[in-house]
Amino acid sequence: MKKDNHLLPNDLTQTGVSRRRFFGQSGSVVATFALGSLNTTTAVAAQPAPTDATTLNQFLKLSRFLTGHQNLDTTLGERLWTAFTQQSAGFSSQMDVLQNLIGQHKLPDVEALDTLIKGQPLHDVMMAVIRGWYLGVTDDSHHARVYAYQNALMYQVPRDGMVIPTYAHNGPDYWTSEPPPVDRLLTF
C-alpha cells in the first residue's frame, strides 16, 4: 500500500516530527540560557533591605502625628516606608528633619506643622506620607502601585456607614470568609 504525501489530521510525516523535535530542543536551550544568565546577586540586590525596628517605629510615630490615628497597621507602615525610600533616597533624612521640627517647636498637631512648613519642600514630604496612609498609594502616576485598599485610612473613618467601593459584591477579600449556609435549595 502506497502512502499519500499530503498529511491527514492524525498522520505526521518524518519531516513534521523532526521539525517539532528541533523546536522543542531549541526552546529548551533558549530557556536554559535565559535562566542560567540570571545573576543571583542582581536579583537579591533588587529586593529592598528589611526595615529595622527602630526606623520603622520612628516612621510609625511620625505617621501617627501626621494622620492623627494611633492604631496604624505595622505591615502597611513597613510597605509604605519601603516605597518612600525607593522613590527618594533622601526620604529618611527628610523624615528626621520633620521629627526634629515637631520636637523643637513642640507642635501640638499636624495643622501647626502644616502652617510652619507651608511652601517648603518638606511640606510635599508631609503630604506624601499623609496621602500614602489615606489613599494607599505613594505617587500620583497613572501606574501607581496600591499598598492598601481595604485598610486605607480614607475608608476607616466612615466605615460604620459606608461600604468600601468594590466590584466584589461581598466586599474586598470576600472569598476568604465562609459562604453563607444554604437554608433551602433553589427550585426551578
Side-chain angles (χ1 to χ4, degrees):
M1 183 182 248
K2 193 173 180 180
K3 192 168 186 167
D4 281 339
N5 280 342
H6 67 280
L7 291 175
L8 297 173
N10 294 329
D11 190 19
L12 296 175
T13 64
Q14 188 62 26
T15 307
V17 172
S18 64
R19 189 177 307 134
R20 283 190 176 94
R21 189 173 294 130
F22 169 75
F23 284 127
Q25 290 171 349
S26 63
S28 299
V29 170
V30 168
T32 302
F33 279 120
L35 292 174
S37 69
L38 286 177
N39 187 352
T40 56
T41 57
T42 306
V44 171
Q47 295 180 348
T51 306
D52 64 285
T54 305
T55 305
L56 181 59
N57 286 334
Q58 289 174 346
F59 177 68
L60 288 172
K61 181 180 176 183
L62 177 65
S63 295
R64 286 183 195 104
F65 180 84
L66 295 178
T67 62
H69 292 276
Q70 298 304 310
N71 298 323
L72 297 176
D73 183 15
T74 306
T75 304
L76 175 56
E78 187 170 8
R79 289 178 186 157
L80 290 173
W81 168 258
T82 302
F84 285 130
T85 55
Q86 286 176 347
Q87 289 173 355
S88 171
F91 181 77
S92 180
S93 61
Q94 292 169 330
M95 183 190 75
D96 291 340
V97 171
L98 280 173
Q99 287 177 325
N100 288 337
L101 281 173
I102 294 166
Q104 286 174 353
H105 295 280
K106 296 182 176 50
L107 300 174
D109 53 23
V110 69
E111 286 81 11
L113 178 63
D114 182 57
T115 303
L116 182 67
I117 63 173
K118 194 87 166 177
Q120 298 178 21
L122 281 177
H123 189 266
D124 294 337
V125 175
M126 176 189 78
M127 294 307 292
V129 173
I130 294 171
R131 188 177 321 114
W133 282 101
Y134 272 89
L135 302 181
V137 295
T138 58
D139 63 56
D140 294 332
S141 71
H142 181 65
H143 300 287
R145 186 171 180 184
V146 177
Y147 294 95
Y149 180 70
Q150 182 177 356
N151 294 332
L153 290 180
M154 69 178 170
Y155 295 125
Q156 302 311 308
V157 176
R159 192 175 193 112
D160 61 341
M162 184 182 96
V163 176
I164 298 173
T166 182
Y167 289 106
H169 298 290
N170 293 330
D173 297 334
Y174 71 94
W175 56 87
T176 60
S177 61
E178 288 292 320
V182 179
D183 298 25
R184 61 183 176 85
L185 295 175
L186 297 174
T187 55
F188 297 97

